Amino acid sequence: MLGLPQSTEFNRRIPKQKFYENLIISPTLKRVFVEQIRVIWWRSKIAPSTTNFAAGETVTEIEVFEVCLSAPQLDEAVLRQIDKEIPYHILFLLEYEEQYQAWTAYKEAAGSGTNAFKVGTYYHTDWMEEAALPLKLDGLNTDKVYENFVRQIAGETLSGGGETLKESVERDKRRQELQKQIAALQVKVRREKQLNKQVQLNAELKRLKKELEEL
């Protein structure tokens, strides 16, 4: 898939039960696995052992999972559950009726001395044909290959020259937080009847909008 080297091909079917049997998950999440997913394929493994890329400092290998869906939507909690169970970085390809979305999360080591990861924000493309997915295997090592996958999928959301991937993700997270705060404040301003409180709220609104513009 994705024009990846043949040496990376794995093509092993993973029983979806593996991600919810013998694990403590909610009945709702288990139902999502059962009802929304038809089959999961482990399509490729991108690693120094399967490519000519050097090993990265934080990304040892990247797994490519194809998740075939029963309908054109999937609860993000499912991907998060899979990411938590597998101690490697994952590129998800959601498939429905031969259309694809690429998904991946910003994922970093938890720093606890184990294989645990913190799974952060997910980014994804629109639905499109596989050949149209904006994914290119690029970089000198697996760290850069992973970073480029995340940036390719996120597009302009993570654009920013000279930033590390973590800095770009944190900036995007702050932008989303500001957008929510601004929307909530705008509602408060419209509802507020007292002039002095309107002035205070508008001052805070102006400050948040300025910070958003500067991001």
Side-chain angles (χ1 to χ4, degrees), residues 71-86:
Q73 65 275 327
L74 179 66
D75 191 322
E76 184 183 296
V78 168
L79 301 184
R80 196 169 293 276
Q81 179 66 30
I82 295 173
D83 255 322
K84 287 179 179 178
E85 294 302 316
I86 295 178

Side-chain angles (χ1 to χ4, degrees), residues 75-197:
D75 191 322
E76 184 183 296
V78 168
L79 301 184
R80 196 169 293 276
Q81 179 66 30
I82 295 173
D83 255 322
K84 287 179 179 178
E85 294 302 316
I86 295 178
Y88 298 107
H89 294 76
I90 304 174
L91 169 62
F92 293 99
L93 300 178
L94 306 190
E95 184 275 336
Y96 179 71
E97 294 186 348
E98 299 183 357
Q99 294 290 302
Y100 287 84
Q101 279 188 333
W103 284 68
T104 196
Y106 177 67
K107 190 173 179 179
E108 60 180 340
S112 58
T114 68
N115 286 331
F117 278 87
K118 292 187 293 184
V119 182
T121 304
Y122 277 91
Y123 299 95
H124 66 86
T125 66
D126 294 330
W127 287 102
M128 61 189 73
E129 294 183 355
E130 179 196 334
L133 289 169
L135 296 172
K136 181 181 179 183
L137 195 60
D138 187 30
L140 296 177
N141 57 45
T142 48
D143 284 351
K144 289 301 294 183
V145 171
Y146 166 68
E147 176 179 342
N148 287 330
F149 275 154
V150 177
R151 292 190 184 279
Q152 288 162 8
I153 290 171
E156 292 184 1
T157 302
L158 294 184
S159 62
E163 289 182 330
T164 66
L165 178 59
K166 183 173 184 177
E167 289 169 343
S168 293
V169 169
E170 288 178 346
R171 179 170 53 83
D172 178 54
K173 183 178 179 181
R174 178 57 180 160
R175 178 169 56 239
Q176 293 181 43
E177 291 173 348
L178 285 170
Q179 289 170 339
K180 290 179 181 178
Q181 290 173 1
I182 288 170
L185 264 180
Q186 287 172 331
V187 172
K188 286 185 177 180
V189 169
R190 288 195 297 269
R191 293 177 177 174
E192 183 56 58
K193 303 301 182 183
Q194 297 184 31
L195 181 59
N196 62 330
K197 289 187 177 180

Side-chain angles (χ1 to χ4, degrees), residues 20-92:
Y20 59 80
E21 286 185 348
N22 304 317
L23 295 174
I24 301 175
I25 66 173
S26 70
T28 299
L29 184 55
K30 181 177 180 179
R31 188 164 58 250
V32 171
F33 269 100
V34 172
E35 296 178 356
Q36 295 185 9
I37 295 177
R38 293 191 293 109
V39 64
I40 301 174
W41 291 95
W42 184 352
R43 289 300 188 189
S44 302
K45 179 170 75 170
I46 301 169
S49 60
T50 63
T51 65
N52 57 0
F53 295 113
E57 293 183 7
T58 59
V59 181
T60 56
E61 58 185 64
I62 304 165
E63 319 303 343
V64 180
F65 284 4
E66 181 182 9
V67 183
C68 302
L69 305 181
S70 302
Q73 65 275 327
L74 179 66
D75 191 322
E76 184 183 296
V78 168
L79 301 184
R80 196 169 293 276
Q81 179 66 30
I82 295 173
D83 255 322
K84 287 179 179 178
E85 294 302 316
I86 295 178
Y88 298 107
H89 294 76
I90 304 174
L91 169 62
F92 293 99

